[in-house]
Amino acid sequence: MADAVVARCVEHLDSLPTQPLYGVHDTEALCRQMREPAPAAGTPLDGLLDDLFTTCIPHSFDTPSPGYLAYIPGGGLFAAAPADFLADTANRSTGIWQAAPSLVQLGADIRLCVSYTSDQVHHCVNESAKLAGIMPDRVHTIATDAAFRLSVDALREAIAADRAAGLLPFMVVSTAGTTNTGAVDPLNDVADLCAAEGLWYHVDGAYGGFFRLCDDTRAVLRGLERADSLTRDPHKGMVMPYGTDALLVRDGALLRAAHAATAGYLPDAPDAGEFYDPSQHGPDLSRGFPGPRMWLTITLHGADAFRAAITEKRAVEAARRVAALPHVVMDAPPDLSLFAFHLSWPGATLVQEDAATRMLMDATSRRGRVMVSGAVAGGRYLGHVCVLSFRTYARQIDHLIDDMQAAMHDVLPSTLGQLQ
Ligand SMILES: *Cc1c(COP(=O)(O)O)cnc(C)c1O
């Protein structure tokens, strides 16, 4: 089984650059066809691998492809796959101390507690607030400036107004690299305000956190180190397979206090000062064994390789070349490695510009060599390019520029005709 699976995986990896980037066509029939009862008897492996590699996998976004520049790319560093294979074979339960999921302790004042985010925050922050029992009307959205960064003045005013109204501000969530435009909030100024106001400071560094590894983005990320808690996604900046997430907290004792639990059938918890026990710091008891992905890849390749990989993905040259295309207005140059822009021409309405930009991004992706996406931010549709994967090189940026140029002629012939 292992030999058969490895052979298919290697073949698949070798073919990555020539696989269709956007395989999601006519999928409804395929999805219906896949609704089948579990077979009572077993099925030979070869046929199952055929189904997986020829039918299922190609009908999807080719996220590990070098040309994938859409959303926030993930890499899928291969060494993590053998690491998972080892971990799943060993099948150790790595969270053995805790018996019960933690309960969020709602004090009587929870209805008065207010948290703050910017209007560019990832929607998972609002979802998390709900799970924690904080109602949507107690998550106050703060306006961003022209560069899509949280406005510290607006935040200060909102906190003062809420205090005056008898509410209890308790937390601010900043983003270090937003999903829409890659903007980094003024982390250090927000940290100052949180310190002055006595508020918990969480930074969402899911996309941008690992740019701390690079020297030339340290200035824009100044203040990240002052967070009380920080989320980072190794499946983005460290090109791990999806599902590799990390939460860093300044004071582990607080996290432990929220999750610690014991039961008669569990052994004594280890000394909290010295040993990290997952089950005392999160909701899971029986859990998989995610550590080898990070351990094997980092020790095998060395930390410098990750630093070098992220440092060369700044997208500065890609953004310069996109900005130089006719009719492109750069709305958000890359603070890190993501930039956003729209099409504009004299006399165009917002609706026309939105439609043209959307068509440009779709038509560029349809040419099949790179995949790009877009997002609505600040009241208009912005095209979006994010360079992050270790497989992406200058050649894909050449493809991006060529295909955007060609796509402009495909989708906007009449508009361009009027202009040239
Ligand atoms: C990707 C992303 C998230 C969500 O993380 P997932 O690992 O995809 O669930 C949250 N915030 C930002 C800024 C992101 O880019």
Side-chain angles (χ1 to χ4, degrees):
M1 274 179 79
D3 288 347
V5 168
V6 167
R8 292 298 184 109
C9 288
V10 169
E11 198 183 309
H12 177 75
L13 274 185
D14 286 344
S15 72
L16 265 187
T18 55
Q19 284 169 25
L21 262 156
Y22 184 86
V24 188
H25 306 289
D26 311 319
T27 41
E28 291 184 13
L30 175 67
C31 290
R32 289 194 192 99
Q33 170 199 321
M34 291 181 68
R35 290 177 200 150
E36 54 185 9
T43 314
L45 179 66
D46 267 354
L48 298 178
L49 292 177
D50 279 344
D51 283 353
L52 199 62
F53 280 99
T54 60
T55 312
C56 304
I57 292 175
H59 281 88
S60 53
F61 297 175
D62 193 8
T63 45
S65 165
Y68 187 78
L69 306 172
Y71 306 100
I72 311 277
L77 197 59
F78 183 69
D84 280 357
F85 185 86
L86 293 171
D88 292 353
T89 305
N91 193 31
R92 293 298 192 258
S93 173
T94 65
I96 52 172
W97 284 99
Q98 186 194 29
S102 67
L103 300 174
V104 177
Q105 295 290 312
L106 303 186
D109 288 336
I110 188 79
R111 280 295 298 144
L112 299 179
C113 291
V114 184
S115 68
Y116 302 85
T117 65
S118 90
D119 58 23
Q120 296 297 306
V121 77
H122 194 277
H123 72 282
C124 71
V125 171
N126 298 317
E127 276 186 45
S128 309
K130 264 191 238 170
L131 288 175
I134 300 160
M135 293 299 126
D137 64 338
R138 292 292 185 253
V139 181
H140 289 186
T141 302
I142 304 300
T144 44
D145 62 19
F148 304 97
R149 299 179 185 133
L150 186 144
S151 157
V152 180
D153 287 338
L155 175 62
R156 188 179 294 109
E157 284 163 24
I159 292 169
D162 287 340
R163 286 207 199 280
L167 298 174
L168 302 172
F170 81 104
M171 175 172 74
V172 177
V173 178
S174 285
T175 308
T178 63
T179 316
N180 286 342
T181 68
V184 178
D185 287 342
L187 303 177
N188 207 44
D189 295 344
V190 179
D192 285 342
L193 186 57
C194 286
E197 295 279 350
L199 307 182
W200 185 271
Y201 188 29
H202 178 79
V203 176
D204 177 357
Y207 154 56
F210 285 105
F211 280 92
R212 277 286 292 190
L213 287 169
C214 352
D215 291 336
D216 56 351
T217 43
R218 266 174 207 260
V220 74
L221 291 170
R222 197 163 68 90
L224 185 85
E225 70 286 351
R226 296 175 64 190
D228 293 303
S229 51
L230 168 67
T231 37
R232 303 204 286 186
D233 270 356
H235 64 224
K236 292 176 178 166
M238 288 189 68
V239 298
M240 297 285 153
Y242 287 121
T244 317
D245 309 282
L247 171 70
L248 298 183
V249 293
R250 177 170 303 287
D251 182 354
L254 287 177
L255 187 64
R256 192 178 163 106
H259 291 281
T262 56
Y265 45 83
L266 293 176
D268 293 337
D271 174 9
E274 187 173 1
F275 299 108
Y276 169 64
D277 182 328
S279 74
Q280 300 291 323
H281 293 85
D284 297 326
L285 175 58
S286 294
R287 66 199 278 275
F289 187 14
R293 286 178 174 199
M294 296 287 283
W295 168 79
L296 188 73
T297 47
I298 294 171
T299 50
L300 188 70
H301 294 291
D304 287 349
F306 289 91
R307 188 189 308 278
I310 200 163
T311 300
E312 68 179 13
K313 298 304 180 239
R314 289 291 315 289
V316 173
E317 181 62 9
R320 192 191 61 70
R321 292 176 66 189
V322 167
L325 293 173
H327 320 298
V328 167
V329 176
M330 187 60 62
D331 298 273
D335 275 349
L336 304 171
S337 75
L338 192 169
F339 55 94
F341 49 90
H342 71 274
L343 288 178
S344 184
W345 60 93
T349 64
L350 178 64
V351 172
Q352 287 171 328
E353 290 182 350
D354 277 4
T357 307
R358 202 181 281 272
M359 275 158 55
L360 175 70
M361 303 317 281
D362 289 350
T364 301
S365 298
R366 267 204 307 277
R367 300 182 79 84
R369 298 197 297 180
V370 297
M371 181 169 163
V372 288
S373 59
V376 176
R380 64 157 69 240
Y381 182 85
L382 302 180
H384 152 144
V385 170
C386 183
V387 181
L388 202 55
S389 169
F390 65 100
R391 293 191 180 99
T392 301
Y393 281 102
R395 175 217 288 244
Q396 279 75 39
I397 304 307
D398 292 343
H399 292 164
L400 170 74
I401 302 299
D402 290 352
D403 291 354
M404 273 183 73
Q405 232 157 3
M408 281 209 205
H409 290 276
D410 287 353
V411 303
L412 299 173
S414 54
T415 314
L416 288 171
Q418 285 160 23
L419 285 166
Q420 284 170 352

